[in-house]
Amino acid sequence: MVEIPPYVRQVLEQLEAAGHEAWCVGGCVRDSLLGRVPGDWDVATAALPEETMALSGALPTGLKHGTVTIRTEGGPVEATTFRMDGAYRDHRRPDTVSFTRSLEEDLRRRDFTVNAMAVNLAGELRDPFGGRADLQAGLLRCVGDPDQRFQEDALRILRCLRFLAELGFAVHPDTAAALRRKRGLLREIAVERIWAEFRKLLQGPFAAETLRAFPEAAGVFWPELLDMVGLDQRNRHHCYDVWEHSLHALAAVPAEDDLLRCAALLHDVGKPSCFTVDQAGVGHFYGHPKESARLAESMLRRLKCPTEFRERAVRLVLWHDRDIPRTDKGLRRALLALGEPDLRRLLALKRADNLAQAPEFWDRQKEIDLGEAILNRLLEEGACFSLKQLEIRGSDLLDLGLSGPAVGRTLNALLEAVVDGELENRRDTLLARARELAAGQGC
């Protein structure tokens, strides 16, 4: 059953009242049939763009491709004329589109059968390519010839993987084979679009299973991942190769935290280039956190990942194997370096990293529990770990005669002393130490 929201029904009613066929199409129908709440509602109509523009509240937002946005009290709704696409010379968008009065022709151009269904106000479901049966079977399958679908728009390769990661579906053998054959076309896609889709993939509940099935697809834009596949770690701490270990770590962190999932996927990407075997035949990866961070930085820059996301993910990768003393001072120093959100992420990454090792070494979970307990207590006690928490400000140091860079250096020195437990975070105590530091600088 597809429950169409009132504001979308309003648009369908306007189009039908004007004598035009109108349907909800695509992902909103798919998600409704799956019992999920659709994020967007798209309308397809037999009305030509100029006919849709005659409706109240219509705005010309994409007339070249037949799209008109209609303002309603519940929000804007895009209504697009039934269309057929021309050639796709750039493997992304059709060079031309032609309008049609046929809903089936419009559905024929879509990517997957589960996205090629439509429903109207009367509740009639149009499903010419078996999308509902594929939904019930948990199967992702291209509409028509899968090679042609991926050749037309190479981003569909990543959309396929993203849907697999989100829905946990199987992929039809013909679609899977075509995806592998055409994966090189991803090089024709803007890296920003690749990152947007891959970031959504990482948040899917079945991201690990999807990457396990199709590492070669992600390897088109991140070939560094392929060196991890099948690399036996030859170490009693590990029961998986590097790739499997990384996928198990990814699956062990919350799906909604794409920053943490990215760090989990890349935390050991430097292991292949650091791999050595000693005389006893035991594998080692000396220096791999630093090398993993270096590679992660390069890989995320390649996809033009936002700066803040990249820097935080790389820092987690760099810190993932670093020992944090289970002491007040150790946790305060980690808070100073990372801040609370990313320190909690680091503990979650350490926990996942350990759970992705051989089970007989899972006793490290107790150490992580202890670190987390100390962190919680410090935060409950109001531990100071940032400049904004200090009981003095830069203006206080200016009053003492400090100026320029000396103000920042002194504030940071005071903060480190507080974090290390050498000073109490009290105004009089901090001012006294500041006077000493100022005197030492000749102020």
Side-chain angles (χ1 to χ4, degrees):
M1 180 64 177
V2 178
E3 291 288 343
I4 302 174
Y7 74 100
V8 180
R9 295 184 67 87
Q10 173 188 330
V11 173
L12 297 174
E13 289 166 355
Q14 282 183 279
L15 286 162
E16 288 192 359
H20 306 298
E21 193 177 346
W23 300 75
C24 291
V25 294
C28 59
V29 179
R30 176 198 69 228
D31 287 344
S32 294
L33 292 175
L34 286 172
R36 301 168 60 174
V37 178
D40 297 299
W41 288 83
D42 293 319
V43 170
T45 178
L48 296 173
E50 57 268 25
E51 294 171 327
T52 307
M53 281 297 299
L55 301 181
S56 173
L59 296 172
T61 50
L63 293 182
K64 178 182 177 182
H65 293 95
T67 300
V68 174
T69 298
I70 301 170
R71 293 170 296 184
T72 74
E73 291 184 1
V77 178
E78 287 190 348
T80 302
T81 302
F82 299 155
R83 75 184 201 204
M84 297 181 292
D85 294 339
Y88 287 74
R89 285 186 297 183
D90 66 354
H91 305 294
R92 181 68 189 100
R93 297 188 182 281
D95 297 337
T96 60
V97 299
S98 57
F99 302 129
T100 176
R101 300 289 186 176
S102 168
L103 172 63
E104 183 167 335
E105 286 298 325
D106 183 81
L107 297 176
R108 188 184 303 278
R109 68 181 177 83
R110 297 175 183 267
D111 50 9
F112 307 108
T113 60
V114 297
N115 295 333
M117 295 181 286
V119 68
N120 64 9
L121 278 174
E124 178 186 356
L125 180 71
R126 288 283 181 88
D127 178 21
F129 306 106
R132 188 165 197 177
D134 284 347
L135 272 186
Q136 292 170 342
L139 185 67
L140 198 63
R141 177 167 57 97
C142 283
V143 174
D145 179 6
D147 283 283
Q148 182 180 347
R149 293 287 85 81
F150 293 136
Q151 182 80 22
E152 290 168 344
D153 182 358
L155 193 63
R156 287 171 175 163
I157 294 169
L158 275 184
R159 280 173 55 83
C160 179
L161 299 183
R162 193 243 298 176
F163 286 134
L164 294 176
E166 288 180 354
L167 302 174
F169 281 13
V171 61
H172 190 280
D174 292 344
T175 296
L179 186 153
R180 293 188 171 98
R181 284 193 295 269
K182 297 296 183 179
R183 67 186 186 277
L185 291 174
L186 286 171
R187 298 186 183 94
E188 307 294 325
I189 301 300
V191 293
E192 295 90 345
R193 296 306 305 270
I194 289 176
W195 172 246
E197 286 293 329
F198 192 72
R199 190 171 180 176
K200 293 176 184 176
L201 184 160
L202 287 175
Q203 297 176 77
F206 305 94
E209 292 87 343
T210 300
L211 291 168
R212 179 177 294 114
F214 295 98
E216 63 270 66
V220 173
F221 50 88
W222 277 355
E224 296 88 346
L225 298 180
L226 300 181
D227 293 333
M228 302 161 68
V229 179
L231 180 57
D232 185 352
Q233 304 199 63
R234 299 179 66 173
N235 190 296
R236 65 193 183 96
H237 288 86
H238 290 285
C239 54
Y240 304 115
D241 65 41
V242 178
W243 179 238
E244 274 299 318
H245 165 77
S246 300
L247 294 181
H248 276 77
L250 181 149
V253 299
E256 63 273 10
D257 193 336
D258 54 353
L259 174 62
L260 182 52
R261 283 212 148 183
C262 183
L265 179 65
L266 301 182
H267 78 282
D268 278 351
V269 70
K271 275 190 170 181
S273 57
C274 296
F275 183 46
T276 60
V277 180
D278 64 21
Q279 292 182 343
V282 178
H284 301 282
F285 301 93
Y286 300 118
H288 83 271
K290 184 176 180 179
E291 177 65 5
S292 295
R294 185 188 70 80
L295 290 175
E297 169 82 19
S298 173
M299 294 162 72
L300 291 168
R301 279 187 182 275
R302 192 179 310 150
L303 297 189
K304 297 185 179 179
C305 169
T307 300
E308 182 184 1
F309 185 105
R310 184 190 74 242
E311 290 177 347
R312 294 170 72 183
V314 169
R315 188 169 56 182
L316 288 171
V317 170
L318 181 63
W319 278 64
H320 83 270
D321 204 35
R322 186 174 299 184
D323 181 50
I324 299 175
R326 270 72 66 191
T327 63
D328 286 14
K329 181 177 178 178
L331 269 296
R332 283 197 299 260
R333 277 197 165 274
L335 274 169
L336 174 62
L338 300 174
E340 181 191 352
D342 282 353
L343 178 52
R344 291 198 181 277
R345 284 190 172 95
L346 179 63
L347 293 174
L349 178 58
K350 284 178 170 292
R351 191 180 297 281
D353 188 18
N354 179 233
L355 290 174
Q357 295 175 355
E360 56 265 35
F361 297 99
W362 285 359
D363 56 352
R364 284 189 59 197
Q365 297 295 311
K366 296 176 182 177
E367 299 175 12
I368 300 169
D369 290 341
L370 177 57
E372 202 159 32
I374 294 172
L375 171 62
N376 291 333
R377 176 175 56 76
L378 289 173
L379 292 173
E380 288 173 4
E381 294 171 355
C384 175
F385 58 90
S386 67
L387 289 174
K388 66 182 181 180
Q389 292 175 292
L390 277 179
E391 290 298 320
I392 63 171
R393 298 289 177 266
S395 56
D396 297 313
L397 301 185
L398 291 173
D399 292 341
L400 295 179
L402 290 169
S403 62
V407 173
R409 287 197 302 268
T410 302
L411 284 173
N412 283 317
L414 293 172
L415 177 59
E416 287 190 18
V418 170
V419 167
D420 286 347
E422 298 173 7
L423 289 178
E424 290 186 69
N425 187 25
R426 290 173 43 188
R427 179 177 171 79
D428 56 347
T429 303
L430 296 172
L431 282 173
R433 175 61 66 87
R435 289 189 187 96
E436 295 174 7
L437 294 172
Q441 299 177 53
C443 297

